[in-house]
């Protein structure tokens, strides 16, 4: 964890899951060791949705559906979430959870590899939430930016990798070195892409928040 656990626990003591379905899905995911958004990350997302009021949301990495269901509670009226997942057991569980939460009308689950699905999408998205295979963020990125509406938001989770990213690659477990290198490259690309304004935030396990510039705005 990249933030002090006592501080995070204190902050989270003020937070709740908003309804019984979300609480049940969170509990099951934690028991099964399925990674889902941390409570403090969820609070940030909730307020972002309240401020931005996105109507069309794209999520890359459904897992068991927790974050899509969570976001569905706070999107603008008439809003919709399209979410992509490639791992069949989690697809099956996500479908069950979406039904449990009564969110079928607000969430569309696309099954398959995001690298193959993204080029087929033609909608413009007000918000894209990336929370999938961390080594693939760079690959997804170039396919996602054209899908962002002007002033659309790209939000990415787990970008600091439990603090591993500040370590030398030789201090990271060998099996994690490729992800370590790719995430560093991705954050560099994200911060230097002239189409976006980006901040890297010390929230949860690290988040990046990017806003797509409008065509008539230049980086000053």
């Amino acid at each position: 964890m990249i933030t002090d656990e006592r501080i995070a626990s204190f902050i989270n003591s003020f937070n709740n899951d908003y309804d019984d379905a979300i609480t049940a899905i969170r509990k099951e995911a934690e028991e099964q060791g399925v990674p889902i958004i941390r409570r403090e990350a969820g609070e940030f997302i909730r307020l972002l949705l309240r401020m931005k009021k996105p109507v069309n949301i794209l999520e890359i990495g459904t897992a068991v559906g927790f974050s899509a269901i969570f976001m569905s509670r706070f999107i603008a009226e008439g809003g919709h979430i399209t979410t992509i997942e490639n791992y069949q057991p989690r697809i099956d569980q996500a479908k069950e959870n979406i039904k449990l939460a009564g969110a079928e009308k607000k969430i569309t689950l696309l099954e398959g590899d995001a690298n193959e699905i993204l080029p087929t999408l033609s909608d413009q998205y007000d918000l894209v939430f990336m929370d999938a295979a961390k080594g693939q963020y760079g690959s997804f990125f170039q396919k996602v930016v054209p899908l962002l509406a002007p002033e659309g938001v790209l939000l990415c989770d787990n970008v600091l990798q439990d603090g591993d990213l500040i370590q030398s690659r030789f201090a990271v477990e060998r099996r994690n070195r490729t992800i370590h290198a790719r995430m560093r490259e991705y954050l560099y690309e994200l911060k230097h892409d002239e189409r976006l304004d980006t901040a890297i935030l010390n929230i949860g396990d690290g988040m990046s928040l990017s806003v797509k510039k409008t065509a008539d705005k230049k980086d000053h």
Side-chain angles (χ1 to χ4, degrees), residues 115-131:
N115 278 310
E116 296 175 2
I117 291 175
L118 290 171
T120 72
L121 301 179
S122 57
D123 285 350
Q124 291 274 283
Y125 295 93
D126 306 306
L127 172 69
V128 176
F129 180 48
M130 197 183 296
D131 189 15

Side-chain angles (χ1 to χ4, degrees), residues 79-152:
H80 194 81
I81 299 166
T82 301
T83 183
I84 304 172
E85 179 57 48
N86 192 37
Y87 185 47
Q88 192 60 51
R90 290 189 179 170
I91 289 170
D92 295 339
Q93 197 167 1
K95 288 179 178 178
E96 291 181 11
N97 287 336
I98 291 168
K99 185 176 180 180
L100 171 69
E104 299 101 318
K105 292 183 179 179
K106 291 185 177 182
I107 300 172
T108 297
L109 174 57
L110 302 181
E111 303 177 28
D113 186 338
N115 278 310
E116 296 175 2
I117 291 175
L118 290 171
T120 72
L121 301 179
S122 57
D123 285 350
Q124 291 274 283
Y125 295 93
D126 306 306
L127 172 69
V128 176
F129 180 48
M130 197 183 296
D131 189 15
K134 312 313 167 195
Q136 294 294 313
Y137 277 21
S139 178
F140 299 148
F141 175 65
Q142 293 301 337
K143 301 176 181 71
V144 161
V145 175
L147 297 175
L148 279 172
E151 299 190 347

Side-chain angles (χ1 to χ4, degrees), residues 142-182:
Q142 293 301 337
K143 301 176 181 71
V144 161
V145 175
L147 297 175
L148 279 172
E151 299 190 347
V153 170
L154 171 61
L155 181 66
C156 304
D157 200 13
N158 308 121
V159 298
L160 296 181
Q161 295 286 286
D162 276 326
D164 281 353
L165 219 62
I166 66 171
Q167 305 293 333
S168 160
R169 67 183 297 270
F170 299 106
V172 177
E173 289 184 33
R174 185 179 295 274
R175 62 189 175 89
N176 293 330
R177 287 179 184 174
T178 298
I179 294 175
H180 177 275
R182 287 181 179 177

Side-chain angles (χ1 to χ4, degrees), residues 42-107:
E43 287 297 288
F44 178 74
I45 292 170
R46 180 178 66 84
L47 286 179
L48 180 63
L49 295 177
R50 292 298 196 199
M51 291 186 290
K52 180 66 179 174
K53 295 180 174 59
V55 173
N56 210 12
I57 296 175
L58 174 65
E59 178 186 50
I60 304 171
T62 313
V64 295
F66 180 84
S67 51
I69 293 166
F70 182 87
M71 289 190 289
S72 76
R73 298 319 201 221
F74 308 107
I75 56 176
E77 187 173 350
H80 194 81
I81 299 166
T82 301
T83 183
I84 304 172
E85 179 57 48
N86 192 37
Y87 185 47
Q88 192 60 51
R90 290 189 179 170
I91 289 170
D92 295 339
Q93 197 167 1
K95 288 179 178 178
E96 291 181 11
N97 287 336
I98 291 168
K99 185 176 180 180
L100 171 69
E104 299 101 318
K105 292 183 179 179
K106 291 185 177 182
I107 300 172

